[in-house]
């Protein structure tokens, strides 16, 4: 058995799938292929995450990532981050002294000079743009070398592929110099380019000296100019073996105002305020073909859904084969049941995928774990000296001598993580990619290329987990018991009650999920080893939640499912002196019950937090989220802070989590989901 996958009795290991965008990782470096349409870093506190924040807040081993260079939002390709102080110092010096070599590819639909040429000028900012001036006339010196691509054919007629090598690294440098030379980048309307579906600029290659030993390394990412940039973004960030449910089109941010399309396993779900147009049907057929979906459903977005019957509100089949009943999707390695026949919602809100992942892994963000004393214990398998995966050694001949390029070439057909081997160099994390070590292996110069298909018969990597592993130590259930099964009260009925079945050793963390719906958050907390109480006003959804527990190897009888009003049960649990390590508040925008009356998220979120705080243990964590567009992030956070302070408690740690990158944000499609994790004294 692979030792990286071995589990001790009573423990659950969360296997974090390697994001497909990873090109290389070792102790000092993390190299990724940034997709077009994603910033290097977030432009503002409440905007969508840049790839830097998305990576840093995804894995504990990436918590110290540092930005050493940037790519524009619409530029794709090789991006390197430092992981150690040594790497940051070395890379900063290399960029400052122009020792790092970069090669970009661009498309243009304008004529280009034959033969190599160089442009040197001074760049200065003028509003959103950079302007080029004669060298020495103010601004920063910028130098770019251009030539026609010698081997790459254009991806479509009328386009020319140009190689650009920036000697310096100024903002928009290649774009400005290409426009100055008379061939602006296709899609770069800011600098006079012809409008197109993306800015066709790609960072194809980066060569640097490794911070540890100075050996030269080259990282490559082949362009995919012919691909749909929207889908390429999803493919770069969503690991298909772990997740097959995510957003494909997010309204105006993806060029389709008002239209939202999700992949749900083997089906596509379309959502808009009217019947799909012919253009939308054509696009759905294309998306079905690309995702190998068997059917496409359509749901008409309706603001008066509460007055609509179940059958009328449910999505309707418009293309392909119908689902024969409930069907399963994968998310973060777990399974969930969905249905197109149970009304307006299909069973899982995809925009909470990353927050559910945080529950699974125990890692909220850099410096913020929701694992507390007496709760869940993190188990992290780190890369680096003294730990991590065993690493492949360079092939040697029978005499132990370094081989030539042709002799030592070896391809690995699945992703792997790099750490320092005995010879002092690492290996890449590639999605079906390859590493080639050339020259004398005592002083190797690896070339790492993403998305390079392995040759037929390529040698697979030895039996090593391709994933970073973190997770929780499961533990015995303890604490005051809840009301027993069938106990009635104003708030409703307990559908299940725990019998204190042991999970392992110690005490399991206690988690309360209010407005549990089909218990997606609850499943993740329970799969991580917690004892979970799920509260919802719908018996149907709680039974659905029990099925989701069973789908993931969890005994529903070991957890509590409470039917009733949220506010009433918060009051009753507080009266019984129940406390929890983590409380989840993800209410609907509007709800109403006989016991609790009407709840509106934009008006009543502070009241909800005040009702929950008596149940939160000292140093416990509160996960609060809302999707109402009528509540700005600043007001949302202020309402929570005011509620906490009104109970004489303090927020001692806070992380604001925007919606995931497959729900992109721009001016035409502003953010709607607001989530904050807070630790309360």
């Amino acid at each position: 058995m692979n030792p990286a996958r071995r589990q001790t009795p009573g423990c659950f290991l969360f296997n974090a799938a390697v994001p497909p965008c990873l090109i290389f990782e070792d102790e000092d470096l993390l190299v990724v292929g940034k997709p077009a349409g994603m910033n290097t870093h977030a432009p503002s506190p409440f905007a969508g995450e840049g790839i830097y924040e998305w990576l840093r807040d995804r894995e504990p081993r990436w918590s110290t990532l540092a930005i050493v260079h940037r790519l524009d939002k619409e530029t794709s390709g090789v991006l390197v981050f430092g992981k150690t102080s040594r790497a940051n110092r070395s890379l900063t010096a290399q960029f400052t002294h122009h020792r790092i070599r970069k090669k970009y590819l661009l498309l243009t639909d304008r004529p280009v000079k034959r033969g190599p040429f160089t442009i040197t000028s001074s760049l200065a900012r003028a509003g959103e743009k950079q302007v080029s001036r004669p060298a020495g006339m103010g601004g920063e010196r910028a130098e770019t070398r251009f030539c026609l691509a010698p081997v790459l054919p254009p991806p479509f007629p009328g386009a020319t592929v140009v190689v650009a090598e920036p000697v310096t690294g100024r903002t928009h440098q290649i774009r400005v110099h290409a426009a100055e030379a008379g061939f602006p980048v296709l899609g770069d309307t800011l600098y006079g380019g012809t409008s197109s579906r993306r800015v066709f600029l790609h960072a194809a290659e980066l060569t640097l000296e490794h911070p540890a030993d100075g050996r030269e390394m080259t990282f490559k990412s082949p362009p995919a100019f012919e691909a749909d940039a929207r889908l390429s973004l999803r493919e770069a960030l969503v690991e298909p073996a772990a997740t097959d449910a995510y957003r494909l089109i997010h309204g105006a941010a993806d060029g389709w105002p008002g239209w939202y399309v999700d992949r749900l396993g083997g089906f596509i779900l379309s959502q808009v305020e009217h019947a799909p147009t012919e253009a939308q049907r054509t696009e759905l057929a294309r998306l079905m073909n690309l995702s190998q979906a068997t059917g496409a459903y359509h749901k008409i977005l309706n603001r008066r859904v509460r007055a609509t019957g179940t059958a009328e509100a449910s999505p309707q089949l418009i293309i392909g084969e119908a689902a024969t009943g409930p069907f399963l999707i994968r998310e973060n390695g777990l399974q969930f049941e969905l249905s197109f026949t149970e009304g307006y919602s299909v069973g899982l809100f995809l925009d909470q995928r990353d927050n559910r992942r945080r529950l699974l892994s125990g890692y909220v963000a850099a410096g913020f774990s929701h694992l507390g004393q007496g709760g869940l214990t993190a188990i992290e398998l780190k890369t680096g000296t003294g730990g991590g995966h065993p690493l492949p050694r360079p092939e040697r001949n029978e005499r132990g001598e370094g081989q030539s390029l042709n002799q030592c070439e070896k391809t690995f057909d699945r992703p792997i993580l790099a750490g320092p081997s005995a010879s002092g160099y690492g290996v890449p994390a590639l999605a079906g990619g390859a590493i080639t070590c050339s020259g004398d292996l005592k002083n190797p110069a690896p070339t790492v290329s993403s998305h390079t298909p392995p040759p037929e018969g390529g040698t697979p990597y030895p039996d090593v987990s391709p994933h970073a592993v973190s997770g929780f130590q499961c533990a015995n259930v303890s604490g005051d018991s809840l009301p027993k099964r069938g106990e009635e009260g104003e708030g409703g009925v307990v559908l299940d009650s725990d019998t204190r079945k042991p999970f392992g050793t110690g005490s399991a963390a206690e988690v309360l999920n209010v407005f549990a719906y089909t218990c997606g958050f609850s499943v993740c907390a329970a799969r991580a080893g917690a004892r979970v109480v799920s509260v919802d006003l719908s018996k149907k959804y709680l039974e659905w939640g029990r099925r989701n527990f069973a789908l993931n190897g969890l005994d529903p009888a070991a957890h509590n499912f409470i039917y009733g009003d949220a506010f009433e049960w918060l009051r009753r649990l507080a009266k019984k002196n129940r406390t929890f390590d983590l409380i989840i508040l993800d209410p609907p925008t509007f709800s109403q019950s006989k016991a609790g009356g009407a709840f509106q998220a934009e008006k009543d979120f502070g009241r909800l937090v005040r009702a929950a705080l008596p149940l939160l243990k000292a140093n416990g964590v509160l996960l609060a989220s809302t999707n109402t567009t009528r509540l700005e992030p600043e007001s949302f956070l202020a309402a929570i802070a005011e509620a906490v302070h009104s109970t004489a408690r303090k927020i001692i740690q806070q992380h604001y989590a925007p919606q995931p990158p497959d729900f992109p944000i721009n001016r035409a499609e502003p953010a709607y989901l607001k989530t904050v994790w807070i630790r309360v004294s």
Side-chain angles (χ1 to χ4, degrees):
M1 180 179 180
N2 180 353
R5 295 185 181 274
R6 187 177 296 123
Q7 298 186 26
T8 55
C11 290
F12 161 68
L13 292 180
F14 168 59
N15 291 319
V18 175
C21 62
L22 258 69
I23 295 175
F24 176 87
E25 181 180 14
D26 69 4
E27 186 178 9
D28 291 288
L29 303 175
L30 178 68
V31 185
V32 300
K34 188 188 83 67
M38 192 174 193
N39 285 300
T40 296
H41 59 84
S44 63
F46 303 120
E49 294 171 304
I51 196 166
Y52 163 70
E53 290 86 7
W54 187 80
L55 291 166
R56 182 197 62 188
D57 296 338
R58 181 180 174 88
E59 299 289 347
R61 72 181 190 277
W62 296 340
S63 63
T64 59
L65 284 187
I67 298 173
V68 292
H69 74 125
R70 295 168 176 81
L71 295 178
D72 294 340
K73 179 179 180 179
E74 298 303 327
T75 301
S76 55
V78 178
L79 186 65
V80 61
F81 295 99
K83 293 176 62 179
T84 63
S85 297
R86 171 177 66 186
N88 299 340
R89 288 192 300 269
S90 173
L91 294 172
T92 298
Q94 291 181 59
F95 275 109
T96 299
H97 298 292
H98 312 310
R99 297 203 307 271
I100 288 180
R101 301 192 303 277
K102 295 168 286 182
K103 182 180 293 184
Y104 289 70
L105 297 175
L106 66 87
L107 288 186
T108 184
D109 59 352
R110 314 289 173 84
V112 183
K113 293 179 182 178
R114 296 287 176 181
F117 61 95
T118 300
I119 293 181
T120 302
S121 69
S122 295
L123 298 186
R125 178 171 291 278
E128 293 184 346
K129 301 175 64 174
Q130 296 285 329
V131 294
S132 181
R133 299 170 177 169
M137 297 296 291
E140 297 180 305
R141 181 182 178 278
E143 179 180 346
T144 310
R145 301 166 184 161
F146 292 99
C147 68
L148 292 175
V151 294
L152 284 176
F156 38 81
T160 301
V161 184
V162 180
V163 178
E165 297 185 21
V167 178
T168 55
R170 311 303 181 197
T171 301
H172 295 185
Q173 174 178 319
I174 294 174
R175 297 164 63 185
V176 174
H177 281 172
E180 184 177 345
F183 53 91
V185 179
L186 182 62
D188 189 7
T189 56
L190 184 64
Y191 292 103
T194 303
S195 178
S196 191
R197 63 178 185 265
R198 63 161 286 190
V199 175
F200 285 91
L201 180 61
H202 178 77
E205 189 174 308
L206 185 145
T207 300
L208 55 75
E209 300 163 11
H210 195 278
D213 55 18
R215 60 198 159 82
E216 188 173 273
M217 300 185 72
T218 295
F219 305 103
K220 294 182 179 181
S221 174
F225 287 146
E226 70 286 351
D228 184 332
R230 300 168 305 178
L231 299 183
S232 294
L233 185 147
R234 277 79 175 174
E235 291 168 357
L237 304 177
V238 178
E239 210 289 319
T243 299
D244 65 0
Y246 49 90
R247 180 143 291 183
L248 294 171
I249 295 177
H250 187 62
D254 285 317
W256 291 89
W259 192 37
Y260 306 92
V261 180
D262 296 330
R263 179 186 177 186
L264 302 174
F267 297 94
I268 300 291
L269 176 62
S270 162
Q271 305 170 76
V272 72
E273 291 183 345
H274 49 73
T277 65
E278 192 61 35
Q280 289 169 341
R281 283 179 172 271
T282 300
E283 179 67 5
L284 285 174
R286 187 181 76 91
L287 293 173
M288 284 181 61
N289 181 58
L290 291 173
S291 61
Q292 298 182 331
T294 58
Y297 281 73
H298 182 70
K299 179 174 74 176
I300 295 179
L301 296 177
N302 184 357
R303 299 181 185 275
R304 298 175 56 84
V305 66
R306 292 173 59 84
T308 306
T310 298
E312 184 181 355
S314 297
Q316 303 298 314
L317 180 71
I318 57 172
I319 304 175
E321 300 176 11
T324 56
F327 60 96
L328 303 183
I329 60 94
R330 297 189 306 274
E331 183 189 83
N332 297 319
L334 301 182
Q335 292 189 100
F336 294 95
E337 176 189 303
L338 303 189
S339 175
F340 289 131
T341 62
E342 295 296 335
Y344 198 67
S345 299
V346 298
L348 195 68
F349 297 116
L350 303 185
D351 53 10
Q352 292 286 14
R353 180 183 64 253
D354 284 354
N355 284 316
R356 285 189 287 268
R357 187 183 188 281
R358 291 178 173 102
L359 276 175
L360 271 174
S361 68
Y363 180 70
V364 175
F368 192 160
S369 167
H370 64 69
L371 309 176
Q373 291 183 348
L376 306 175
T377 304
I379 305 171
E380 182 191 351
L381 184 63
K382 298 181 177 179
T383 60
T385 305
H389 307 305
L391 300 166
R393 297 296 302 275
E395 296 291 329
R396 293 180 178 269
N397 61 26
E398 294 179 355
R399 295 174 295 174
E401 299 171 345
Q403 300 175 29
S404 69
L405 170 62
N406 292 333
Q407 291 172 312
C408 79
E409 206 168 84
K410 187 166 185 174
T411 300
F412 305 101
D413 65 355
R414 55 177 167 160
I416 49 180
L417 290 175
S421 67
S423 63
Y425 77 91
V427 294
L430 299 178
I435 177 173
T436 301
C437 306
S438 60
D440 183 351
L441 291 175
K442 296 179 181 179
N443 185 27
T447 295
V448 183
S449 174
S450 71
H451 310 300
T452 304
E456 186 175 355
T459 307
Y461 188 64
D463 185 21
V464 171
S465 168
H467 305 313
V469 181
S470 60
F472 301 133
Q473 178 178 340
C474 301
N476 286 330
V477 174
S478 65
D480 298 331
S481 63
L482 286 168
K484 302 302 180 188
R485 180 180 178 92
E487 179 180 342
E488 298 190 16
E490 290 181 66
V493 179
V494 179
L495 300 182
D496 253 290
S497 186
D498 172 64
T499 54
R500 297 193 184 184
K501 296 179 180 179
F503 285 87
T505 59
S507 298
E510 300 274 351
V511 174
L512 173 63
N513 183 12
V514 187
F515 306 98
Y517 186 40
T518 60
C519 303
F521 281 122
S522 300
V523 167
C524 294
R527 193 68 182 88
R531 180 194 180 200
V532 187
V533 177
S534 302
V535 179
D536 200 87
L537 196 55
S538 168
K539 291 181 181 179
K540 178 181 77 171
Y541 289 142
L542 288 174
E543 289 299 326
W544 196 332
R546 286 166 51 84
R547 296 196 297 273
N548 281 331
F549 269 66
L551 279 172
N552 292 284
L554 299 164
D555 181 5
H559 304 270
N560 294 96
F561 300 80
I562 301 179
Y563 160 68
D565 176 74
F567 282 93
E568 173 60 21
W569 273 101
L570 289 173
R571 183 188 65 79
R572 293 184 66 187
L573 292 172
K575 188 176 180 180
K576 293 176 179 291
N577 296 317
R578 284 301 313 272
T579 57
F580 297 87
D581 299 278
L582 190 149
I583 296 177
I584 302 163
L585 303 177
D586 182 23
T589 300
F590 177 86
S591 65
Q592 189 166 5
S593 71
K594 293 180 180 179
F599 171 85
Q600 290 180 273
E602 67 269 23
K603 296 179 180 179
D604 299 320
F605 213 101
R607 177 167 67 95
L608 176 61
V609 173
R610 284 191 295 273
L613 283 173
L615 285 73
L616 187 65
K617 293 180 181 179
N619 296 320
V621 172
L622 180 71
L623 164 57
S625 186
T626 181
N627 67 349
T628 177
T629 58
R630 295 187 292 270
L631 187 61
E632 294 297 323
E634 295 87 348
S635 300
F636 172 64
L637 295 176
I640 293 172
E642 182 180 349
V644 172
H645 296 153
S646 72
T647 62
R649 300 179 74 172
K650 294 182 179 179
I651 296 174
I652 57 178
Q653 201 169 14
Q654 177 174 308
H655 174 71
Y656 183 86
Q659 59 206 55
D662 54 322
F663 291 72
I665 298 165
N666 64 13
R667 292 176 183 174
E669 190 73 46
Y672 69 91
L673 183 67
K674 292 158 281 287
T675 304
V676 65
W677 296 72
I678 60 172
R679 190 181 302 280
V680 182
S681 65

